[in-house]
Amino acid sequence: MKGYVFHGPGRSAWEETPDPDAKEPTDAVVRVDTVTICGTDLHILKGDVPGVRPGTVLGHEAVGEVVEVGSDVWSVRPGDRVLVSCITACGRCRFCRGGVYGQCLGGGGWILGHLVDGTQAEYVRVPFADLSLHPLPASVTDTDAVLLADVFPTAYEVGVLNGRVRPGDTVAVVGAGPIGLAAVATARLFAPERVIAVDVAPARLEAARKLGAEAVVDAREAPEQLVADLTGGLGADVAVEAVGVPETFEMCTRMVRPGGHVANVGVHGRPAVLHLEELWIKNVTITTGLVNTNSTPALLKMAAAGRLPTSQLVTHVFPLEQIQEAYDVFAQAAVTGALKVVLGEPPRNEVLPMTAAE
């Protein structure tokens, strides 16, 4: 088969690689129909994730058809259309038994495209298939479903649920990339008073507005003052950090109210300053986290009912063999306007307009 293979920092290629098979009784092999690219994949290509060995097929999100299952797989069978979760769960360790799949001790967690070959290929082996694959209803398209492999569970669990968004809250989402936009959309499930989106890209701020943000602000134009003005000087009940740089994390700690929550979702590659000399007296809760994907079944139900604006985040679509071009477009999002890039469908290599109805 062919896959997108990492060969070290700055080197990767769409090339022939060995076909996968079910090595363990709990494995399944899935023919990949639709995949997407994550910001974490860009970090890997830069050399920021040293656990990824040269020769590894990248990718941890996919939709496809089961073609082979091991003898101990019971929940799916060949021919089933499935969502491949970004997190693999053994189901037996202390963390999995508590639903904390991201910290699996039994060989799972984030392994696809990290510790084992991933989904950006024609076929992928999925360990622990019973908990790591989700059968898809016919009403959910591949494009909608693939955003439930990582983007929406991450924003919902690590941002909205960890941040304890409640009705009537003011929620500030710092960073309006795919994760931040999904946080805007899923925060609205809890009927906040307002959602404020912060970014530097006008196109992303406009996307946040269309997804339900009541206010948007350029990160260079005093967003903390806007939050203070809209809340009578109190601050945001919840500040979601969805960028992963020190400046945005520190911004979140400045704009949150006493007793509020800072939910860090961004992947950080550098230390951030924690101003405890200011925060110790404010009763602020700061959470971090890797997605567990235990919310995926509920999110799938919402998607099937038309309650999640998943495909609105998709701006570019490519056939799988044009994955290098797709990476180039995604990596230059400031120029191309890319949010989520989806591969596996007929090419549509332009920014898709969002209608008023969306």
Side-chain angles (χ1 to χ4, degrees):
M1 70 169 188
K2 285 193 172 182
Y4 194 67
V5 181
F6 173 70
H7 290 293
R11 296 183 294 120
S12 56
W14 176 253
E15 61 187 37
E16 290 189 0
T17 189
D19 293 339
D21 55 15
K23 297 179 180 178
E24 303 292 338
T26 53
D27 288 350
V29 176
V30 175
R31 185 198 71 217
V32 174
D33 294 328
T34 305
V35 298
T36 185
I37 301 170
C38 179
T40 305
D41 298 322
L42 298 182
H43 281 289
I44 292 170
L45 290 175
K46 292 176 183 177
D48 294 341
V49 187
V52 182
R53 299 186 305 271
T56 301
V57 175
L58 298 184
H60 50 266
E61 307 156 89
V63 172
E65 181 180 313
V66 177
V67 296
E68 181 184 354
V69 296
S71 58
D72 286 349
V73 175
W74 301 98
S75 63
V76 295
R77 61 180 184 230
D80 285 351
R81 178 171 165 263
V82 294
L83 171 67
V84 180
S85 175
C86 67
I87 297 295
T88 301
C90 77
R92 297 180 178 180
C93 72
R94 62 175 295 181
F95 287 118
C96 285
R97 289 169 70 88
V100 189
Y101 305 141
Q103 303 300 326
C104 175
L105 297 171
W110 173 41
I111 61 172
L112 291 174
H114 177 204
L115 305 179
V116 302
D117 285 339
T119 58
Q120 290 171 4
E122 294 173 324
Y123 293 87
V124 60
R125 178 180 73 91
V126 182
F128 307 116
D130 279 329
L131 280 176
S132 308
L133 296 177
H134 299 272
L136 289 172
S139 60
V140 178
T141 68
D142 286 4
T143 300
D144 286 324
V146 76
L147 296 190
L148 300 179
D150 184 356
V151 173
F152 271 82
T154 295
Y156 182 57
E157 294 175 20
V158 187
V160 175
L161 296 185
N162 279 4
R164 299 187 182 180
V165 175
R166 295 292 183 267
D169 278 355
T170 291
V171 181
V173 179
V174 179
I179 293 290
L181 292 173
V184 169
T186 53
R188 289 181 55 78
L189 297 170
F190 291 85
E193 179 182 5
R194 64 177 67 85
V195 177
I196 304 166
V198 181
D199 204 284
V200 296
R204 291 189 168 193
L205 292 175
E206 181 60 23
R209 192 185 295 278
K210 290 179 177 179
L211 286 168
E214 284 79 10
V216 300
V217 58
D218 191 305
R220 298 161 295 194
E221 297 178 0
E224 294 132 290
Q225 187 60 52
L226 175 65
V227 172
D229 292 344
L230 291 175
T231 59
L234 189 62
D237 298 280
V238 181
V240 178
E241 198 288 327
V243 181
V245 297
E247 294 80 4
T248 50
F249 174 79
E250 293 165 28
M251 179 189 295
C252 286
T253 64
R254 292 193 299 268
M255 66 173 50
V256 69
R257 68 165 174 83
H261 291 78
V262 174
N264 184 88
V265 189
V267 178
H268 289 263
R270 292 182 287 138
V273 176
L274 184 62
H275 287 283
L276 284 176
E277 77 281 6
E278 299 172 1
L279 293 171
W280 74 270
I281 201 170
K282 293 181 66 176
N283 292 27
V284 170
T285 299
I286 299 174
T287 57
T288 65
L290 175 66
V291 65
N292 295 311
T293 66
N294 53 28
S295 68
T296 301
L299 292 171
L300 272 171
K301 290 180 181 178
M302 285 188 270
R307 299 294 301 275
L308 290 180
T310 46
S311 60
Q312 290 186 36
L313 273 64
V314 177
T315 53
H316 295 70
V317 178
F318 295 90
L320 191 55
E321 62 270 17
Q322 291 183 11
I323 192 167
Q324 185 57 64
E325 182 179 351
Y327 261 94
D328 293 341
V329 167
F330 186 62
Q332 301 177 56
V335 176
T336 63
L339 292 175
K340 286 303 284 184
V341 172
V342 168
L343 299 104
E345 295 187 359
R348 192 169 68 227
N349 300 343
E350 72 276 351
V351 176
L352 302 181
M354 291 185 180
T355 67
E358 293 175 333

